[in-house]
Amino acid sequence: MASPSRRLQTKPVITCLKSVLLTYTFVFWVSGIVLLAVGIWGRVSLAVYFSLLDEKATNVPFVLVGAGTVVVLLGTFGCFATCRGSTWMLKLYAMLLSLIFLIVLVAAVVGFVFRHEIKTNFESNLNLALKDYNVTADRHSEAVDTIQRTLHCCGVQNYSDWERTEYFSQRGIPRSCCKNQNDCSEEDLKDPNKAKLKVFVDGCFFLVTSTMESKMSVVAGISFGIACFQAPVSYTQG
């Protein structure tokens, strides 16, 4: 009489296990596509905000794109390994899955721990961008204009921040702060009392950080979900 372990090695059981493994691997491959798309979306959607951060922070979307690419390639390898039924391939696949899970998890923890430092860094760079603001093709000045027009804000904490800049002494508050471009003359922008009625009075710092947190929460949520999915997949592969 065949032993229990021998009975489990029948063709139907092996076929069933392969089907389950292929399903997990396919979903994992799709999660790589999602991670890749989220990285690209984050880069495009948050580009103007990242331009006012240090270089390390601007690498976040590229990390997601890179991770997504690796997951897609690894998922393809996993499908091949499962179809071949190669033991060493499956073990290698499980080890790589575990490694990626740990990397994603550590990245999420680091991002959470240093979120306040990122805010401080952004506020400092936004203040510096206002100080050095000009009407040339400077990317920081363009970022300030884009943020003020898009979020309907002006300055860092409020519109009066512009009064302490060199640009204000020459041309007043930038036109990107105007509520109505057709009713916002340079004379108005040079007079703080008149400008208060013509420009957005709320500062950009709070609005930017709120916008970034809401969008990055989407990125973090998807990334964390994929990381959590990788854990059972790694366990199954092992």
PDB file of all heavy atoms in Angstrom, residues 159-181:
ATOM      1  N   TYR A 159       0.112  85.143   1.194  1.00  0.00           N
ATOM      2  CA  TYR A 159       0.563  86.007   0.102  1.00  0.00           C
ATOM      3  C   TYR A 159       1.595  87.057   0.542  1.00  0.00           C
ATOM      4  O   TYR A 159       2.416  87.522  -0.261  1.00  0.00           O
ATOM      5  CB  TYR A 159      -0.643  86.710  -0.525  1.00  0.00           C
ATOM      6  CG  TYR A 159      -1.168  87.869   0.276  1.00  0.00           C
ATOM      7  CD1 TYR A 159      -0.859  89.183  -0.070  1.00  0.00           C
ATOM      8  CD2 TYR A 159      -1.963  87.660   1.418  1.00  0.00           C
ATOM      9  CE1 TYR A 159      -1.339  90.256   0.672  1.00  0.00           C
ATOM     10  CE2 TYR A 159      -2.432  88.723   2.161  1.00  0.00           C
ATOM     11  CZ  TYR A 159      -2.120  90.026   1.788  1.00  0.00           C
ATOM     12  OH  TYR A 159      -2.577  91.080   2.531  1.00  0.00           O
ATOM     13  N   SER A 160       1.577  87.438   1.817  1.00  0.00           N
ATOM     14  CA  SER A 160       2.484  88.485   2.293  1.00  0.00           C
ATOM     15  C   SER A 160       3.947  88.047   2.303  1.00  0.00           C
ATOM     16  O   SER A 160       4.846  88.872   2.449  1.00  0.00           O
ATOM     17  CB  SER A 160       2.071  88.944   3.697  1.00  0.00           C
ATOM     18  OG  SER A 160       2.213  87.889   4.630  1.00  0.00           O
ATOM     19  N   ASP A 161       4.211  86.746   2.123  1.00  0.00           N
ATOM     20  CA  ASP A 161       5.594  86.266   2.060  1.00  0.00           C
ATOM     21  C   ASP A 161       6.345  86.913   0.900  1.00  0.00           C
ATOM     22  O   ASP A 161       7.558  87.101   0.967  1.00  0.00           O
ATOM     23  CB  ASP A 161       5.634  84.736   1.897  1.00  0.00           C
ATOM     24  CG  ASP A 161       5.144  84.008   3.143  1.00  0.00           C
ATOM     25  OD1 ASP A 161       5.304  84.570   4.239  1.00  0.00           O
ATOM     26  OD2 ASP A 161       4.592  82.904   3.016  1.00  0.00           O
ATOM     27  N   TRP A 162       5.610  87.274  -0.155  1.00  0.00           N
ATOM     28  CA  TRP A 162       6.247  87.870  -1.327  1.00  0.00           C
ATOM     29  C   TRP A 162       6.797  89.272  -1.033  1.00  0.00           C
ATOM     30  O   TRP A 162       7.706  89.740  -1.718  1.00  0.00           O
ATOM     31  CB  TRP A 162       5.258  87.945  -2.480  1.00  0.00           C
ATOM     32  CG  TRP A 162       5.068  86.633  -3.177  1.00  0.00           C
ATOM     33  CD1 TRP A 162       3.990  85.801  -3.088  1.00  0.00           C
ATOM     34  CD2 TRP A 162       5.985  85.994  -4.070  1.00  0.00           C
ATOM     35  NE1 TRP A 162       4.187  84.683  -3.853  1.00  0.00           N
ATOM     36  CE2 TRP A 162       5.398  84.773  -4.475  1.00  0.00           C
ATOM     37  CE3 TRP A 162       7.254  86.334  -4.550  1.00  0.00           C
ATOM     38  CZ2 TRP A 162       6.034  83.898  -5.342  1.00  0.00           C
ATOM     39  CZ3 TRP A 162       7.890  85.461  -5.427  1.00  0.00           C
ATOM     40  CH2 TRP A 162       7.285  84.257  -5.807  1.00  0.00           C
ATOM     41  N   GLU A 163       6.261  89.933  -0.018  1.00  0.00           N
ATOM     42  CA  GLU A 163       6.697  91.295   0.302  1.00  0.00           C
ATOM     43  C   GLU A 163       8.153  91.340   0.772  1.00  0.00           C
ATOM     44  O   GLU A 163       8.783  92.396   0.742  1.00  0.00           O
ATOM     45  CB  GLU A 163       5.788  91.908   1.374  1.00  0.00           C
ATOM     46  CG  GLU A 163       4.340  92.077   0.926  1.00  0.00           C
ATOM     47  CD  GLU A 163       3.462  92.602   2.048  1.00  0.00           C
ATOM     48  OE1 GLU A 163       3.963  93.385   2.870  1.00  0.00           O
ATOM     49  OE2 GLU A 163       2.276  92.211   2.105  1.00  0.00           O
ATOM     50  N   ARG A 164       8.661  90.197   1.190  1.00  0.00           N
ATOM     51  CA  ARG A 164      10.045  90.143   1.675  1.00  0.00           C
ATOM     52  C   ARG A 164      11.027  89.698   0.596  1.00  0.00           C
ATOM     53  O   ARG A 164      12.171  89.381   0.885  1.00  0.00           O
ATOM     54  CB  ARG A 164      10.122  89.194   2.880  1.00  0.00           C
ATOM     55  CG  ARG A 164       9.284  89.637   4.064  1.00  0.00           C
ATOM     56  CD  ARG A 164       9.527  88.771   5.289  1.00  0.00           C
ATOM     57  NE  ARG A 164       9.022  87.409   5.108  1.00  0.00           N
ATOM     58  CZ  ARG A 164       7.781  87.030   5.374  1.00  0.00           C
ATOM     59  NH1 ARG A 164       6.896  87.929   5.816  1.00  0.00           N
ATOM     60  NH2 ARG A 164       7.396  85.788   5.200  1.00  0.00           N
ATOM     61  N   THR A 165      10.569  89.652  -0.649  1.00  0.00           N
ATOM     62  CA  THR A 165      11.436  89.200  -1.741  1.00  0.00           C
ATOM     63  C   THR A 165      11.902  90.371  -2.607  1.00  0.00           C
ATOM     64  O   THR A 165      11.260  91.427  -2.653  1.00  0.00           O
ATOM     65  CB  THR A 165      10.694  88.189  -2.638  1.00  0.00           C
ATOM     66  OG1 THR A 165       9.587  88.855  -3.281  1.00  0.00           O
ATOM     67  CG2 THR A 165      10.180  87.020  -1.815  1.00  0.00           C
ATOM     68  N   GLU A 166      12.996  90.153  -3.300  1.00  0.00           N
ATOM     69  CA  GLU A 166      13.536  91.174  -4.203  1.00  0.00           C
ATOM     70  C   GLU A 166      12.594  91.391  -5.387  1.00  0.00           C
ATOM     71  O   GLU A 166      12.457  92.504  -5.891  1.00  0.00           O
ATOM     72  CB  GLU A 166      14.914  90.740  -4.698  1.00  0.00           C
ATOM     73  CG  GLU A 166      15.604  91.769  -5.579  1.00  0.00           C
ATOM     74  CD  GLU A 166      16.983  91.321  -6.023  1.00  0.00           C
ATOM     75  OE1 GLU A 166      17.509  90.355  -5.422  1.00  0.00           O
ATOM     76  OE2 GLU A 166      17.519  91.935  -6.959  1.00  0.00           O
ATOM     77  N   TYR A 167      11.951  90.311  -5.813  1.00  0.00           N
ATOM     78  CA  TYR A 167      11.042  90.420  -6.956  1.00  0.00           C
ATOM     79  C   TYR A 167       9.893  91.383  -6.660  1.00  0.00           C
ATOM     80  O   TYR A 167       9.473  92.154  -7.528  1.00  0.00           O
ATOM     81  CB  TYR A 167      10.476  89.032  -7.302  1.00  0.00           C
ATOM     82  CG  TYR A 167       9.543  89.034  -8.497  1.00  0.00           C
ATOM     83  CD1 TYR A 167      10.042  88.967  -9.794  1.00  0.00           C
ATOM     84  CD2 TYR A 167       8.160  89.119  -8.324  1.00  0.00           C
ATOM     85  CE1 TYR A 167       9.194  88.974 -10.889  1.00  0.00           C
ATOM     86  CE2 TYR A 167       7.311  89.132  -9.402  1.00  0.00           C
ATOM     87  CZ  TYR A 167       7.837  89.061 -10.690  1.00  0.00           C
ATOM     88  OH  TYR A 167       6.986  89.077 -11.772  1.00  0.00           O
ATOM     89  N   PHE A 168       9.401  91.379  -5.405  1.00  0.00           N
ATOM     90  CA  PHE A 168       8.275  92.246  -5.038  1.00  0.00           C
ATOM     91  C   PHE A 168       8.672  93.716  -5.159  1.00  0.00           C
ATOM     92  O   PHE A 168       7.868  94.549  -5.610  1.00  0.00           O
ATOM     93  CB  PHE A 168       7.820  91.942  -3.605  1.00  0.00           C
ATOM     94  CG  PHE A 168       6.680  92.793  -3.145  1.00  0.00           C
ATOM     95  CD1 PHE A 168       5.368  92.475  -3.472  1.00  0.00           C
ATOM     96  CD2 PHE A 168       6.903  93.946  -2.378  1.00  0.00           C
ATOM     97  CE1 PHE A 168       4.308  93.274  -3.051  1.00  0.00           C
ATOM     98  CE2 PHE A 168       5.856  94.744  -1.962  1.00  0.00           C
ATOM     99  CZ  PHE A 168       4.554  94.405  -2.305  1.00  0.00           C
ATOM    100  N   SER A 169       9.877  94.055  -4.767  1.00  0.00           N
ATOM    101  CA  SER A 169      10.319  95.457  -4.835  1.00  0.00           C
ATOM    102  C   SER A 169      10.404  95.952  -6.274  1.00  0.00           C
ATOM    103  O   SER A 169      10.335  97.150  -6.540  1.00  0.00           O
ATOM    104  CB  SER A 169      11.672  95.615  -4.145  1.00  0.00           C
ATOM    105  OG  SER A 169      12.660  94.842  -4.805  1.00  0.00           O
ATOM    106  N   GLN A 170      10.527  95.016  -7.204  1.00  0.00           N
ATOM    107  CA  GLN A 170      10.640  95.391  -8.616  1.00  0.00           C
ATOM    108  C   GLN A 170       9.300  95.318  -9.347  1.00  0.00           C
ATOM    109  O   GLN A 170       8.932  96.238 -10.084  1.00  0.00           O
ATOM    110  CB  GLN A 170      11.649  94.483  -9.321  1.00  0.00           C
ATOM    111  CG  GLN A 170      13.063  94.593  -8.759  1.00  0.00           C
ATOM    112  CD  GLN A 170      13.994  93.568  -9.380  1.00  0.00           C
ATOM    113  OE1 GLN A 170      13.587  92.717 -10.161  1.00  0.00           O
ATOM    114  NE2 GLN A 170      15.273  93.642  -8.999  1.00  0.00           N
ATOM    115  N   ARG A 171       8.572  94.232  -9.120  1.00  0.00           N
ATOM    116  CA  ARG A 171       7.353  94.018  -9.924  1.00  0.00           C
ATOM    117  C   ARG A 171       6.135  93.628  -9.097  1.00  0.00           C
ATOM    118  O   ARG A 171       5.070  93.353  -9.647  1.00  0.00           O
ATOM    119  CB  ARG A 171       7.615  92.951 -10.983  1.00  0.00           C
ATOM    120  CG  ARG A 171       8.837  93.260 -11.845  1.00  0.00           C
ATOM    121  CD  ARG A 171       8.989  92.310 -12.998  1.00  0.00           C
ATOM    122  NE  ARG A 171       7.852  92.351 -13.902  1.00  0.00           N
ATOM    123  CZ  ARG A 171       7.794  91.662 -15.052  1.00  0.00           C
ATOM    124  NH1 ARG A 171       8.809  90.907 -15.410  1.00  0.00           N
ATOM    125  NH2 ARG A 171       6.732  91.743 -15.820  1.00  0.00           N
ATOM    126  N   GLY A 172       6.285  93.559  -7.794  1.00  0.00           N
ATOM    127  CA  GLY A 172       5.149  93.195  -6.947  1.00  0.00           C
ATOM    128  C   GLY A 172       4.983  91.691  -6.833  1.00  0.00           C
ATOM    129  O   GLY A 172       5.923  90.932  -7.038  1.00  0.00           O
ATOM    130  N   ILE A 173       3.779  91.257  -6.510  1.00  0.00           N
ATOM    131  CA  ILE A 173       3.474  89.831  -6.384  1.00  0.00           C
ATOM    132  C   ILE A 173       3.343  89.225  -7.781  1.00  0.00           C
ATOM    133  O   ILE A 173       2.780  89.861  -8.681  1.00  0.00           O
ATOM    134  CB  ILE A 173       2.160  89.635  -5.586  1.00  0.00           C
ATOM    135  CG1 ILE A 173       2.346  90.157  -4.157  1.00  0.00           C
ATOM    136  CG2 ILE A 173       1.758  88.163  -5.549  1.00  0.00           C
ATOM    137  CD1 ILE A 173       1.084  90.140  -3.323  1.00  0.00           C
ATOM    138  N   PRO A 174       3.829  88.023  -8.018  1.00  0.00           N
ATOM    139  CA  PRO A 174       3.738  87.404  -9.346  1.00  0.00           C
ATOM    140  C   PRO A 174       2.289  87.244  -9.818  1.00  0.00           C
ATOM    141  O   PRO A 174       1.375  87.039  -9.012  1.00  0.00           O
ATOM    142  CB  PRO A 174       4.394  86.036  -9.140  1.00  0.00           C
ATOM    143  CG  PRO A 174       5.284  86.221  -7.976  1.00  0.00           C
ATOM    144  CD  PRO A 174       4.581  87.190  -7.067  1.00  0.00           C
ATOM    145  N   ARG A 175       2.093  87.302 -11.123  1.00  0.00           N
ATOM    146  CA  ARG A 175       0.747  87.185 -11.693  1.00  0.00           C
ATOM    147  C   ARG A 175       0.143  85.798 -11.498  1.00  0.00           C
ATOM    148  O   ARG A 175      -1.071  85.626 -11.594  1.00  0.00           O
ATOM    149  CB  ARG A 175       0.785  87.523 -13.183  1.00  0.00           C
ATOM    150  CG  ARG A 175       1.115  88.986 -13.472  1.00  0.00           C
ATOM    151  CD  ARG A 175       0.955  89.286 -14.959  1.00  0.00           C
ATOM    152  NE  ARG A 175      -0.438  89.128 -15.392  1.00  0.00           N
ATOM    153  CZ  ARG A 175      -1.380  90.065 -15.248  1.00  0.00           C
ATOM    154  NH1 ARG A 175      -1.079  91.236 -14.679  1.00  0.00           N
ATOM    155  NH2 ARG A 175      -2.600  89.850 -15.675  1.00  0.00           N
ATOM    156  N   SER A 176       0.990  84.814 -11.202  1.00  0.00           N
ATOM    157  CA  SER A 176       0.465  83.459 -10.979  1.00  0.00           C
ATOM    158  C   SER A 176      -0.388  83.384  -9.724  1.00  0.00           C
ATOM    159  O   SER A 176      -1.103  82.404  -9.507  1.00  0.00           O
ATOM    160  CB  SER A 176       1.619  82.452 -10.888  1.00  0.00           C
ATOM    161  OG  SER A 176       2.536  82.820  -9.878  1.00  0.00           O
ATOM    162  N   CYS A 177      -0.328  84.438  -8.885  1.00  0.00           N
ATOM    163  CA  CYS A 177      -1.151  84.485  -7.672  1.00  0.00           C
ATOM    164  C   CYS A 177      -2.534  85.086  -7.941  1.00  0.00           C
ATOM    165  O   CYS A 177      -3.412  85.032  -7.082  1.00  0.00           O
ATOM    166  CB  CYS A 177      -0.464  85.323  -6.590  1.00  0.00           C
ATOM    167  SG  CYS A 177       0.908  84.501  -5.749  1.00  0.00           S
ATOM    168  N   CYS A 178      -2.707  85.695  -9.091  1.00  0.00           N
ATOM    169  CA  CYS A 178      -3.948  86.431  -9.384  1.00  0.00           C
ATOM    170  C   CYS A 178      -5.163  85.507  -9.499  1.00  0.00           C
ATOM    171  O   CYS A 178      -5.094  84.445 -10.122  1.00  0.00           O
ATOM    172  CB  CYS A 178      -3.790  87.215 -10.680  1.00  0.00           C
ATOM    173  SG  CYS A 178      -2.595  88.559 -10.580  1.00  0.00           S
ATOM    174  N   LYS A 179      -6.270  85.953  -8.930  1.00  0.00           N
ATOM    175  CA  LYS A 179      -7.519  85.208  -9.060  1.00  0.00           C
ATOM    176  C   LYS A 179      -8.074  85.343 -10.473  1.00  0.00           C
ATOM    177  O   LYS A 179      -8.613  84.397 -11.031  1.00  0.00           O
ATOM    178  CB  LYS A 179      -8.559  85.749  -8.056  1.00  0.00           C
ATOM    179  CG  LYS A 179      -8.181  85.584  -6.595  1.00  0.00           C
ATOM    180  CD  LYS A 179      -9.241  86.220  -5.696  1.00  0.00           C
ATOM    181  CE  LYS A 179      -8.860  86.105  -4.231  1.00  0.00           C
ATOM    182  NZ  LYS A 179      -9.847  86.788  -3.347  1.00  0.00           N
ATOM    183  N   ASN A 180      -7.954  86.545 -11.031  1.00  0.00           N
ATOM    184  CA  ASN A 180      -8.426  86.830 -12.380  1.00  0.00           C
ATOM    185  C   ASN A 180      -7.324  87.556 -13.144  1.00  0.00           C
ATOM    186  O   ASN A 180      -6.989  88.689 -12.825  1.00  0.00           O
ATOM    187  CB  ASN A 180      -9.706  87.681 -12.323  1.00  0.00           C
ATOM    188  CG  ASN A 180     -10.311  87.909 -13.697  1.00  0.00           C
ATOM    189  OD1 ASN A 180      -9.697  87.593 -14.723  1.00  0.00           O
ATOM    190  ND2 ASN A 180     -11.518  88.441 -13.730  1.00  0.00           N
ATOM    191  N   GLN A 181      -6.758  86.913 -14.145  1.00  0.00           N
ATOM    192  CA  GLN A 181      -5.648  87.488 -14.888  1.00  0.00           C
ATOM    193  C   GLN A 181      -6.025  88.777 -15.609  1.00  0.00           C
ATOM    194  O   GLN A 181      -5.178  89.633 -15.861  1.00  0.00           O
ATOM    195  CB  GLN A 181      -5.123  86.470 -15.917  1.00  0.00           C
ATOM    196  CG  GLN A 181      -4.498  85.223 -15.303  1.00  0.00           C
ATOM    197  CD  GLN A 181      -3.213  85.521 -14.554  1.00  0.00           C
ATOM    198  OE1 GLN A 181      -2.438  86.389 -14.940  1.00  0.00           O
ATOM    199  NE2 GLN A 181      -2.984  84.810 -13.454  1.00  0.00           N
TER     200      GLN A 181
END
